[in-house]
Amino acid sequence: MMLLTSARVATLARYAKLLGSLAVIASLCGCGMSRQDHLIEARAALADAAYDEALAAAEAGLRAAAAESQEALDDATSWGLELAKLEAHARAAQGEEAKEQLTELARRHPNRVVASEYFATAQQLRGAGAGTAAIEVLDMGAVLFPYEPVIGRMIEEASTGGDPAELELLRSLGYVE
């Protein structure tokens, strides 16, 4: 049986403090977290309406994927991180960032971005109070998916909303007279 002297207790306390500090540093920099962990964290933050946290988790996961390989950037987990990042921008009413993210996703992954990404992002922007950005996203979707009825219906609904800035944008885009 080992006796714990005061010197040993002091040494153990220093080690515990050091390990605790290392754990905090690791959690702050995302060390040791997998891309899947970041995705889970981003989705949980979205569910809690913590959009800045969701964005940070998604970006940390994407940085981890980029450090791994190009294949890691193209897998299902990274796609989920990209969508979480897009949703965080939209729900935080960051219209420009959401449009840029959606444009970039459509450029890099043309076979993955479907019409529903445009109307989901538009709904999220509208729900966050960014109505003009929502219309711009719908217009982007209408250009790529001209026969998608949901996008057309959402544009029509926006034209009856009565918000002057939205109506002016719809006029400038040629949707209403």
Side-chain angles (χ1 to χ4, degrees):
M1 181 167 152
M2 179 156 77
L3 294 173
L4 289 177
T5 64
S6 62
R8 285 184 193 244
V9 169
T11 301
L12 289 173
R14 280 195 305 275
Y15 285 134
K17 185 175 182 182
L18 176 63
L19 287 174
S21 297
L22 290 174
V24 168
I25 291 169
S27 70
L28 289 175
C29 73
C31 300
M33 289 182 68
S34 70
R35 289 177 296 119
Q36 185 66 31
D37 293 337
H38 287 293
L39 179 57
I40 291 167
E41 183 180 357
R43 287 182 177 158
L46 284 169
D48 290 340
Y51 306 125
D52 289 339
E53 292 174 25
L55 187 58
E59 288 175 340
L62 290 167
R63 280 192 304 276
E68 285 181 37
S69 67
Q70 183 59 42
E71 291 80 27
L73 279 173
D74 292 333
D75 72 6
T77 300
S78 291
W79 181 246
L81 289 162
E82 293 282 9
L83 293 179
K85 183 177 173 182
L86 174 61
E87 184 176 345
H89 283 309
R91 291 192 184 278
Q94 297 171 347
E96 289 303 314
E97 292 85 348
K99 290 185 303 184
E100 289 172 15
Q101 175 77 8
L102 192 52
T103 299
E104 183 62 18
L105 288 176
R107 185 190 66 75
R108 286 193 346 248
H109 305 283
N111 297 329
R112 282 186 168 174
V113 176
V114 295
S116 63
E117 299 302 339
Y118 289 88
F119 55 79
T121 301
Q123 285 176 323
Q124 293 159 356
L125 284 163
R126 181 171 293 290
T132 55
I135 290 169
E136 291 169 340
V137 167
L138 288 172
D139 183 57
M140 291 165 50
V143 169
L144 293 174
F145 303 99
Y147 301 108
E148 174 53 57
V150 175
I151 291 176
R153 231 179 0 262
M154 290 178 73
I155 290 171
E156 187 178 315
E157 288 171 9
S159 70
T160 62
D163 181 272
E166 291 178 28
L167 288 172
E168 183 56 38
L169 178 58
L170 287 166
R171 267 189 213 93
S172 73
L173 294 171
Y175 291 109
V176 295
E177 293 179 16

